[in-house]
Amino acid sequence: MKIAVIGANGKEGSMIVKEALNRGIEVTSIVRSAKKSPTDVFIKKDIYGLTTDDVKDFDVLVNAVGFFGDKVVEYVPSTKHLIEILSGTKTRLLTVGGAGSLYLDKDHSQQLYQQADFPDAVKPLSEQMGKALDLLRTSDINWTYISPAANFVFDGKKTGKYVLAGEELTFDDQGNSEISYADYAIAMVDEIQNNKFKNKRISVRW
């Protein structure tokens, strides 16, 4: 299996790369600077510079790029670009998603970021990531979108365990919705290998 990871030098991207390499998967990093590549094999381009020729020979393309601050508006056009270059190919797209677009009930009447007490600083990010997900839903490519739990812990422990859930925000027996970056990476690579959730959004938590 051959995969490529966009944003391979980022916090989550680097953990996905490490987990995939540990399982013997051939990984190509897609980074803007060769010095920041966590693998010997890399493509030096930003997300908008990628072409169909760059990605068509990979089994899976992982989008682990993060946009923050004023740049959150890039989630929609960057996702649109990936859809365009993957259209007509067999390459699957797996996206590192957000929790803000998860639904609060089975009726899908309200998303997490629409709650009154949701932090204002994070709302634009969650809204744009949700719009990017909507683009995937209407596309003709093979995609999977994986949302983390509400509390996405960068330096959290690696337990090797996680709970798979659907599009609704879920909690453990103590009422917590958490997952570490390390265990999220395990879930991502499991889906890369198992290919169980074609054209679906799933979520993971402890």
Side-chain angles (χ1 to χ4, degrees), residues 121-140:
V122 190
K123 282 184 180 180
L125 170 66
S126 298
E127 184 175 11
Q128 293 300 316
M129 293 184 83
K131 288 180 178 179
L133 172 58
D134 290 340
L135 280 179
L136 291 173
R137 294 189 200 278
T138 58
S139 74
D140 62 354

Side-chain angles (χ1 to χ4, degrees), residues 74-86:
E74 298 295 332
Y75 275 107
V76 171
S78 63
T79 299
K80 183 178 180 181
H81 178 71
L82 293 181
I83 292 170
E84 289 173 350
I85 66 173
L86 289 173

Side-chain angles (χ1 to χ4, degrees), residues 37-49:
S37 176
T39 57
D40 293 334
V41 181
F42 60 87
I43 297 171
K44 183 184 173 184
K45 288 188 176 183
D46 71 10
I47 195 168
Y48 293 108

Side-chain angles (χ1 to χ4, degrees), residues 10-157:
K11 289 182 177 180
E12 186 57 54
S14 61
M15 292 192 186
I16 293 169
V17 168
K18 183 177 180 180
E19 181 66 27
L21 290 173
N22 286 342
R23 300 193 198 187
I25 297 173
E26 185 177 333
V27 183
T28 297
S29 298
I30 300 176
V31 290
R32 290 182 294 178
S33 170
K35 294 180 180 179
K36 295 182 178 180
S37 176
T39 57
D40 293 334
V41 181
F42 60 87
I43 297 171
K44 183 184 173 184
K45 288 188 176 183
D46 71 10
I47 195 168
Y48 293 108
L50 291 172
T51 67
T52 298
D53 283 342
D54 289 327
V55 301
K56 63 182 176 61
D57 293 330
F58 294 108
D59 298 296
V60 173
L61 178 65
V62 177
N63 181 11
V65 171
F67 297 105
F68 305 97
D70 293 341
K71 296 292 186 179
V72 297
V73 294
E74 298 295 332
Y75 275 107
V76 171
S78 63
T79 299
K80 183 178 180 181
H81 178 71
L82 293 181
I83 292 170
E84 289 173 350
I85 66 173
L86 289 173
S87 182
T89 74
K90 295 182 179 180
T91 303
R92 297 165 54 209
L93 176 66
L94 271 70
T95 296
V96 177
S101 59
L102 289 170
Y103 296 103
L104 299 177
D105 53 48
K106 292 183 179 180
D107 295 331
H108 294 182
S109 60
Q110 188 181 34
Q111 292 168 288
L112 177 61
Y113 82 88
Q114 295 172 327
Q115 279 190 309
D117 59 350
F118 193 83
D120 288 338
V122 190
K123 282 184 180 180
L125 170 66
S126 298
E127 184 175 11
Q128 293 300 316
M129 293 184 83
K131 288 180 178 179
L133 172 58
D134 290 340
L135 280 179
L136 291 173
R137 294 189 200 278
T138 58
S139 74
D140 62 354
I141 68 170
N142 183 345
W143 62 271
T144 304
Y145 187 101
I146 306 180
S147 288
N151 188 16
F152 201 15
V153 189
F154 170 61
D155 56 355
K157 59 187 176 181

